[in-house]
Amino acid sequence: MRGTSSAPAGLHALGAAGPYRSRNQEVVCDVRGEPVAELSLVPWLFAQRNIRALRRATPPDPERRRKLLTRAGWLFASGSVDGVSPDSYHRTVAEVSGIPVATVRQLAQQVGEYAATAYESVSQARPVGAADSWRDQRARRGSGVWTRRGDVLMVHAPANSPVVHTAWLDALALGYRVAVRPSQREPFTAHRLVSALRQVGYDNDQVVLLPTDHPTADRLVAEADVALAFGSDEVARKYGSSTLVMPFGPGRSKILLTSGVDAGRHLDTITESVAGHAGTGCVNATAVFVEGDPEPVAEAIADRLGRLPSLPPGDERARLPVRLTATARALDRYLRAEAGDARALLSADTIVDELGDGSAVLRPAVFLLDRPDAPQARIEMGFPCVWVLPWRREGDWMAPLRDTLSLTALTNDAELIESLVAEPTINKIHVGDHPTTWTRPGLPHEGYLGGFLMQTKAVIVN
């Protein structure tokens, strides 16, 4: 975390033998380009030794796992971790990620809640016919038993939101040992969460933090038993065929507004889906499909989002993300090149609103398209950017709605809802006034993680 002097603070790796300061240091800067911390990047041999140490370790018994995760969740969200208060952590993450501090606080609370309930939540994925131990009485007459597919999970984590770190908590609850490779842009959430787990009693050889470069991270994915990898379409293609790596690519979350539904009554839900969490998450809506004339809906969204203020991330009133000005301008150039013939209703000239200190607010962008299969609807930008399109119940009407992480359907059509729930490429269906960003512990994200981490085998014990 930022120290009291002008020198950046040291952020060490957290290995199986304790904190480790490497000679290879990566400077973590804030959105103005000012140094905040020096992150230790570990070499391959150090990382490999830690994976092997995790594999040799024995996990805590189930009841102890439950207690430790509950305590760690509270500590992460509300306590002092390694002498760092929640407020200091929130403000540091806001400074380096550009996510508004109020949003960071909200998301950090979610991480704490997920940790505190992870042991109970993970049981939702266990098949009804399976016991969680061979010691269960059912095994005496023959039963399915839910067991791990391996011992070590490797997590290749992104920087778009603190809440991405809820993804690997289920693995700890199941007895996996976990290695986290944090993003070099925002390593503070992962560092705080691993530190909180250790502070409440998790042994060092149960969960490690291994900041490293991309080539080493790729080798670690192969070294572990199973892995989670977050990133772009390229990451999804790279690991999509592997049964040992679960890739998390772009969300491409959407809203569907059918005819006869008053868009004005649902405008809060629509705009929260687009701009909630500062528009940085995979569950933020990037396309709105309208059965009927989409223009009035697009204009209403643009009017509402256009009122959001441009403020630095440390301001409690901020609701939009901030990036280094050069980064913001690069994003703007990319967006303009990809928008093509789309009509811009908001931020027509630029999404960049400079704050005068080397940083810039990413202003919301709203575009109107004239056909449901427009390729721009697949573009996901990491800030409030939404494409509004017409949708018609003709031909392959499901096609524009496929390949979706979270879909909010504003409709009263039961047959349509039935079809949406049955569609295998849509992971979450929210019917009515539930934003695409809505969730709670215990619900699947892209399926239950336990379905990937665990297997069921037949066991009979005399």
Side-chain angles (χ1 to χ4, degrees), residues 230-249:
F230 295 79
S232 62
D233 284 321
E234 182 181 353
V235 170
R237 287 191 295 268
K238 181 177 181 179
Y239 295 116
S241 62
S242 173
T243 60
L244 299 178
V245 180
M246 186 171 184
F248 292 90

Side-chain angles (χ1 to χ4, degrees), residues 347-398:
S347 299
D349 298 323
T350 181
I351 59 170
V352 180
D353 194 355
E354 295 189 44
L355 293 174
D357 58 0
S359 69
V361 175
L362 296 174
R363 297 291 308 168
V366 179
F367 292 92
L368 183 63
L369 294 163
D370 59 6
R371 57 191 179 94
D373 62 345
Q376 294 96 322
R378 292 181 59 81
I379 296 172
E380 191 171 279
M381 293 296 298
F383 66 92
C385 177
V386 64
W387 311 85
V388 186
L389 312 88
W391 180 80
R392 305 177 187 91
R393 303 192 207 206
E394 57 187 41
D396 188 4
W397 57 264
M398 182 68 80

